[in-house]
Amino acid sequence: MENSTTSSVNPSRQRDTVMSIVKGMAIILMVAGHAEGGDMLVRFIYLFHMPVFFIAAGYFFSPSSLDDPWRFCVKRVKGLYLPFLKWAILFLVIHNVLFHFGILNETYGNWKGGVTHPYTVHSFLQRLVHIVFSMAGYDEFLAGAFWFFRALLVTSVGYLLLRLLLRSLCPGIGTVKASLVICGAALAFALFKIGCDMRIVTIVQGGIRETWGIFFFSFGVIFKAMEGRIPAMKWWNAVAVFAFLVAGAWLEWTGMTLTPTLLTVATLPVTGILGFMMLRWIARHVDSHDNALRRALITVGEMTMCVFVFHIAAFKLVSLVKIWWYGLDFAQIGCHMVIHEHAATDFFWIAYTIVGVALPIGWKLAYDRIEARMRDARMARAYNIK
């Protein structure tokens, strides 16, 4: 989730704003997918939106990390594990409070019919243990996207360890060759896991998402290393990619689900990479014009963590409006992730998407501004400056 290096579009800029825009578009698509914007749209989004984040993480992997792996791991723990711990425990603590006010309830649940329940002391403590030691146990109904923090942590550290192993076995192996080997190994392992119905029991949810994460993370490293030699995508290439992804959605190919099939092994690497290339083509064009759209997408892209954490909670405000609009039972505010009634025919998914992105970012910007003012005030008092 870091943003560094110079822009590939304008060398005068101090960071890669193209990748920030790519991540901004990807997080908006993720929120739209969670907002249930129609089966075809959701299937289209799920073909590539999560691979884009792993590719972006690999893109920013620094080869210098191989010479200081401890520093890299500490940075990943601070950037992924600690925020996960903080917010997962917060949602754990307020879970029963939200039940008291009816925001969570046992009447309505997810689209498969499952519901959540109040936590007993035992279940609370058990979830706390899972949160601390397994990066699991989080509130599925309010923190359903938190699996990504665990997956990205395992992916990035796993890639680093595999690179170090390859370097010890094959001294002098280059970045591209090593990453290609890791890509191939991840793909073969995914095939093995799916074909033989194997699970990595030490990783919550079996490790299939982490396996795909290593594949796409490795591609991100390769793309960064070869970026200058890859021909720029033309507009007709982008249209062809879009058409291909639409066809994949129509054929019901799957994304990074927990129940993949052998078809997923054949299609997900293609749709994930092509989806990233399409978003990057769009991002380069957006980045070439300094306007409100560009600035907004950069802001969203640089605050993806905030959206990951709070977009489901932000959905509840739109659910309140939908309950009033249709005269629904108030308990439907407990639906996960959004109210499913009328979802196939109305356009509330647009409101869910806007609020799910804008509210967390607006809160973060306001918080940062208040914190900066308080910090300036403390410094002024410390130096006796009026």
Side-chain angles (χ1 to χ4, degrees), residues 345-362:
T345 56
D346 64 24
F347 291 94
F348 264 90
W349 68 270
I350 298 175
Y352 277 116
T353 302
I354 294 172
V355 173
V357 174
L359 187 61
I361 290 178

Side-chain angles (χ1 to χ4, degrees), residues 113-279:
V115 296
T116 187
H117 307 284
Y119 297 154
T120 63
V121 173
H122 178 270
S123 61
F124 176 93
L125 293 175
Q126 183 62 74
R127 283 180 174 267
L128 180 62
V129 169
H130 285 326
I131 288 171
V132 174
F133 295 103
S134 304
M135 293 185 75
Y138 49 82
D139 189 325
E140 299 88 348
F141 273 51
L142 288 174
F146 276 30
W147 66 265
F148 177 75
F149 295 93
R150 178 187 65 248
L152 185 55
L153 178 61
V154 172
T155 290
S156 53
V157 174
Y159 173 85
L160 176 71
L161 294 176
L162 290 171
R163 280 291 302 273
L164 291 172
L165 176 62
L166 284 173
R167 190 169 71 172
S168 65
L169 295 175
C170 307
I173 187 171
T175 296
V176 174
K177 288 183 179 180
S179 297
L180 282 172
V181 170
I182 296 173
C183 270
L187 195 60
F189 189 66
L191 183 63
F192 168 74
K193 275 179 54 60
I194 297 168
C196 299
D197 193 24
M198 297 291 180
R199 292 176 58 86
I200 303 176
V201 295
T202 51
I203 300 179
V204 178
Q205 298 180 333
I208 186 60
R209 283 170 166 164
E210 288 74 11
T211 302
W212 284 122
I214 289 176
F215 174 87
F216 289 113
F217 189 100
S218 301
F219 174 80
V221 176
I222 295 169
F223 181 83
K224 177 62 179 296
M226 301 185 64
E227 188 173 14
R229 289 176 281 173
I230 299 175
M233 180 180 283
K234 306 297 183 182
W235 70 266
W236 56 85
N237 300 134
V239 171
V241 168
F242 176 79
F244 179 82
L245 293 173
V246 169
W250 182 71
L251 293 170
E252 298 188 16
W253 293 347
T254 57
M256 292 178 62
T257 67
L258 293 175
T259 56
T261 65
L262 293 177
L263 178 63
T264 306
V265 179
T267 59
L268 183 57
V270 179
T271 59
I273 291 172
L274 290 180
F276 165 76
M277 299 297 289
M278 179 183 68
L279 290 188

